[in-house]
Amino acid sequence: MDNVIQYIGLSELIPGEFHPHLETSNDNIENLISSIKSYGILEPLIVRPKDKRFEIILGNRRYKAASSLGMEKVPVIILNIDDTKALELVISDNIQRKELSSKEEAYLYEKALSYPNTNKEKLSIDITGQRFGKLVALYKTTS
């Protein structure tokens, strides 16, 4: 896979179908906006071609922040992947986040279980491992 960073206009991007952030905090987005003002977008968005545009797989918050800053283009990496692979990337990237609510986590699991090609056994191992990692991190910060 050739992960070349390209710059694409915001008007060419569409929100991701699997985007789990149902409850985006204004504080989190404001912090991201501040960071992008100071340093730019440090991590490119991951997108895939869809309907003559590009669907955001990873980076919806960066997209929102860039849009609110009036940026015209953002760095992206374009992947040619199917729905199952896109969903796997979203789950892998988002499930370890501290700010992911139980509702958002449930949304991701429901989406994953609804896709026929999802490897349910691998998914359950990934979920268990991620939840375990979250619990260990929580324990370390509270003890």
Side-chain angles (χ1 to χ4, degrees), residues 48-67:
R48 68 177 175 166
K50 188 168 187 173
D51 302 328
K52 299 183 181 181
R53 293 170 80 189
F54 296 93
E55 178 186 19
I56 302 167
I57 304 301
L58 304 175
N60 278 294
R61 291 179 59 248
R62 282 170 271 157
Y63 167 79
K64 284 181 182 179
S67 181

Side-chain angles (χ1 to χ4, degrees), residues 1-3 46-49 54-55 57-58 77-82 85 89:
M1 209 179 308
D2 193 18
N3 293 338
I46 305 299
V47 301
R48 68 177 175 166
F54 296 93
E55 178 186 19
I57 304 301
L58 304 175
I77 294 175
I78 301 170
L79 302 179
N80 289 304
I81 55 176
D82 62 15
K85 191 65 174 171
L89 284 173

Side-chain angles (χ1 to χ4, degrees), residues 13-115:
L13 299 172
I14 56 175
E17 176 183 347
F18 306 116
H19 176 59
H21 297 290
L22 307 171
E23 304 166 357
T24 302
S25 161
N26 281 341
D27 290 343
N28 286 340
I29 213 75
E30 290 302 322
N31 289 340
L32 184 56
I33 289 169
S34 177
S35 174
I36 291 173
K37 273 185 195 176
S38 298
Y39 307 108
I41 296 178
L42 301 176
E43 187 176 341
L45 287 69
I46 305 299
V47 301
R48 68 177 175 166
K50 188 168 187 173
D51 302 328
K52 299 183 181 181
R53 293 170 80 189
F54 296 93
E55 178 186 19
I56 302 167
I57 304 301
L58 304 175
N60 278 294
R61 291 179 59 248
R62 282 170 271 157
Y63 167 79
K64 284 181 182 179
S67 181
S68 72
L69 287 169
M71 295 175 74
E72 292 181 21
K73 294 185 175 191
V74 292
V76 301
I77 294 175
I78 301 170
L79 302 179
N80 289 304
I81 55 176
D82 62 15
D83 285 349
T84 302
K85 191 65 174 171
L87 182 58
E88 287 173 5
L89 284 173
V90 170
I91 290 171
S92 175
D93 188 64
N94 284 283
I95 207 67
Q96 79 280 355
R97 292 179 187 264
K98 290 178 189 171
E99 71 270 6
L100 194 67
S101 73
S102 297
K103 185 176 179 181
E104 292 165 333
E105 200 171 333
Y107 169 83
L108 282 174
Y109 299 153
E110 187 277 326
K111 276 288 193 186
L113 294 173
S114 71
Y115 275 81

